[in-house]
Amino acid sequence: QKEVEQNSGPLSVPEGAIASLNCTYSDRGSQSFFWYRQYSGKSPELIMSIYSNGDKEDGRFTAQLNKASQYVSLLIRDSQPSDSATYLCAVTGTASKLTFGTGTRLQVTL
Amino acid sequence: DAGITQSPRHKVTETGTPVTLRCHQTENHRYMYWYRQDPGHGLRLIHYSYGVKDTDKGEVSDGYSVSRSKTEDFLLTLESATSSQTSVYFCATSPTGNEQYFGPGTRLTVT
């Protein structure tokens, strides 16, 4: 079982819609959770961090964490073509090391 | 943006040669990391550093070594490059050991 799992996609949503990206993790002791956006040929960019159960909103992005279900999600409201990218979920385990999922590719269509 | 640079940005080398990649940061972050990214595997940690001269192995450390003699620089050395080490290499830094900020990457091809 992979430590951090994501659906590889592509997830296709129309412009203006809500994109919902999901991630599950296996280590119940994980404390910190992150979402990165990676455009093709570029480096990952941190877009959201969440440390406690519930929702955290930042502009059009909302991160949701449910530690009991070991589940993290990212909602993107009013999706734009510029949101088309691969979204990486990352979870801290031991010794300040991040474990990454393989990413979900999001396509926002016109 | 953590002010991270990587050099070189692209490199082609031959099997069996040593290669050193450099990561330089201007943010005075304590933690530094080296990852490789390959299709189907995502980002995998090679080595990391939690302070000057303090380093430890990640999940794919075989064939790699690192050094950190000052806060701003973290070097990754491929002791004898193999074709399986063809990859994109990313450096990352963190002030706290939680959120990490990535450099632009180095594309390495071993022929």
Side-chain angles (χ1 to χ4, degrees):
Chain A
Q1 181 189 5
K2 290 183 181 178
E3 294 183 44
V4 179
E5 295 214 41
Q6 298 180 253
N7 188 317
S8 61
L11 173 66
S12 184
V13 299
E15 183 177 6
I18 296 175
S20 178
L21 305 163
N22 304 316
C23 171
T24 58
Y25 60 94
S26 60
D27 183 355
R28 284 196 170 273
S30 297
Q31 295 294 321
S32 305
F33 307 85
F34 305 92
W35 284 99
Y36 286 80
R37 177 176 63 199
Q38 186 174 25
Y39 293 111
S40 180
K42 301 295 185 182
S43 58
E45 174 192 8
L46 179 64
I47 56 172
M48 288 291 288
S49 59
I50 187 166
Y51 302 99
S52 56
N53 280 330
D55 294 0
K56 179 182 178 182
E57 186 174 321
D58 184 0
R60 296 187 295 112
F61 298 102
T62 298
Q64 299 175 317
L65 174 61
N66 184 325
K67 289 186 178 181
S69 300
Q70 296 174 247
Y71 178 89
V72 191
S73 65
L74 178 70
L75 302 178
I76 306 174
R77 290 182 300 281
D78 188 23
S79 295
Q80 301 296 310
S82 59
D83 295 325
S84 297
T86 296
Y87 289 80
L88 307 174
C89 174
V91 175
T92 51
T94 58
S96 302
K97 292 188 285 187
L98 277 182
T99 300
F100 286 83
T102 53
T104 298
R105 188 158 65 94
L106 173 66
Q107 293 178 336
V108 180
T109 58
L110 296 173
Chain B
D1 199 340
I4 307 167
T5 57
Q6 293 184 231
S7 58
R9 295 292 314 280
H10 301 271
K11 186 169 183 67
V12 179
T13 192
E14 293 184 349
T15 298
T17 60
V19 176
T20 296
L21 309 183
R22 180 185 185 231
C23 178
H24 178 77
Q25 57 126 340
T26 59
E27 296 296 312
N28 200 35
H29 286 177
R30 176 183 174 187
Y31 297 84
M32 297 186 76
Y33 307 83
W34 276 107
Y35 293 90
R36 61 178 289 174
Q37 188 173 38
D38 305 287
H41 291 280
L43 281 160
R44 293 181 290 174
L45 182 65
I46 305 171
H47 282 280
Y48 67 103
S49 169
Y50 45 94
V52 174
K53 297 187 180 178
D54 291 324
T55 65
D56 206 348
K57 297 179 180 180
E59 63 174 300
V60 290
S61 60
D62 287 349
Y64 302 94
S65 62
V66 290
S67 66
R68 192 172 179 198
S69 59
K70 46 186 178 177
T71 299
E72 55 267 36
D73 288 327
F74 193 31
L75 304 181
L76 176 71
T77 297
L78 288 65
E79 294 140 9
S80 177
T82 68
S83 59
S84 65
Q85 294 175 313
T86 292
S87 187
V88 179
Y89 291 85
F90 289 105
C91 172
T93 72
S94 175
T96 63
N98 277 321
E99 71 281 9
Q100 294 183 19
Y101 303 92
F102 283 80
T106 294
R107 185 172 296 275
L108 177 68
T109 302
V110 184
T111 61

